Amino acid sequence: MATFIQNSFGLKVSAGHYVDYSSAEDLRKALRDSTPKPWLPIGRGSNLLFSGEVFQGTVLHCTDDTVETSFGSNYVRVRVGAGLRWDAFVEMCVEKGWYGAENLSLIPGDVGAAAVQNIGAYGIEAASIISSVEVYDTFEDCERVFFADECEYAYRSSIFKHCDKRYIVLKVIFKLSLEPHFSLNYGNLESALTGEPSLQGVRNAVIAIRRAKLPDPEQIGSAGSFFMNPVVSAEKLAELQSSYPDIPHYPAADGISVKLAAGWLIDRCGCKSMRKGDAAVYEKQALVLVNQGNATASDILALADFIINSVKDRFGLTLRMEVEVV
Ligand code: EPU
């Protein structure tokens, strides 16, 4: 029987084959049972856009939400099952007094997907607190550990994202500080805090900012940022600044290039609140495409195409999707 696939866009899509697994053994057994390809590891479907009504392969869903800890003098290592909801993990860290994850509060999805996507917000990326990732290697049929420096982490990218689904994340091992340490330099985060920074205070401020700008996935279908922020050379920035002196820009991770704000570019093209069918550009953050009710994947992709062309025509920049189309 076809199984409904959870996806935060709220599209009606089912899987011909669907496997829940909670261990490497379960996964090995399921994959040996000649499950039809392609295999699609999935968390809560918060970064996926299904292009058809039926996914003609096998969805692999991890249900392992276990947590194990080991303590060092000033840090804790937390080994977490890939199926734990990301924000449940952040909430636990904040409650226990473990520093490092609080800026990543309220991001939808699971822990495993967070390690694949290198989720980021308010100046922090998941990579900054990941110490290793345990995966199942579907090519070699064995378990394998990637230490952080082997994960090829970059902006919304990792080795796991570009491996043709070879590696399926089983566990993520985080290293969090037991000593107070905050990162408050992004945008209005510091000014949104009341009083001295605390873990719960930062979490509350991030939640308040996100709720004000981003749609609640329980109420409005979306996949968060639909596009990535473009990274350009200093020369390209200077060219753009001559026409758009107020263009927001941030140093990119390499210290040489510059990251631009795709939301601003889309907004400046006049695309905010634009609609194609029931797909729309979110009125409070132009980087987010939403499902106003009965949007189809075609509506969303038509709107995305229109945006890509508008930004290309106006700024000479090609936006790349953050969302994965399957
Ligand atoms: N802006 C506009 N109009 C808009 C949207 C944004 O002018 O419609 C401007 C803002 O005023 C600001 C700049 O663009 O000057 C950047 O906006 P914002 O701070 O909202 O962040 P972002 O770059 O649009 C990124 C992440 C978000 C993350 C925020 C906060 C990406 C693709 N997106 O958005 O991540 O929450 O920073 O750190 O990097 C996600 O990945 O799903 C996501 C929501």
Side-chain angles (χ1 to χ4, degrees), residues 46-47 103-105 107-108 117-125 155-156 186-188 206 209-210 213-214 222-230 246-250 259-268 272 281-288 320 322-323:
S46 50
N47 202 47
N103 289 30
L104 303 176
S105 290
I107 296 182
Q117 179 66 4
N118 187 20
I119 57 170
Y122 308 103
I124 292 289
E125 288 183 341
Y155 170 56
R156 297 295 194 276
Y186 186 95
N188 55 348
V206 168
I209 298 171
R210 288 189 73 93
K213 278 193 184 177
L214 298 169
S222 93
S225 299
F226 194 89
F227 300 100
M228 292 201 273
N229 284 330
D246 59 335
I247 187 167
H249 57 93
Y250 315 91
K259 200 191 273 186
L260 303 177
W264 185 91
L265 300 168
I266 297 166
D267 200 351
R268 272 302 179 96
K272 215 175 225 182
V281 179
Y282 191 52
E283 73 271 15
K284 295 180 194 158
Q285 164 53 292
L287 196 45
V288 176
R320 285 173 51 219
E322 180 181 327
V323 168

Side-chain angles (χ1 to χ4, degrees), residues 17 37 46 51 86 97 126 128 170 176 197 212 226 230 259 267 270 304 312:
H17 291 79
K37 285 187 174 177
S46 50
S51 55
W86 173 262
S128 67
L170 299 168
L176 298 151
F226 194 89
K259 200 191 273 186
D267 200 351
K312 179 85 186 157

Side-chain angles (χ1 to χ4, degrees), residues 293-313:
N294 293 307
T296 60
S298 312
D299 293 336
I300 297 167
L301 288 169
L303 184 58
D305 259 358
F306 184 87
I307 291 169
I308 291 169
N309 290 331
S310 305
V311 170
K312 179 85 186 157
D313 288 349

Side-chain angles (χ1 to χ4, degrees), residues 34-51:
S34 56
T35 44
K37 285 187 174 177
W39 295 334
L40 179 66
I42 183 172
R44 272 155 220 263
S46 50
N47 202 47
L48 296 176
L49 176 58
F50 287 92
S51 55

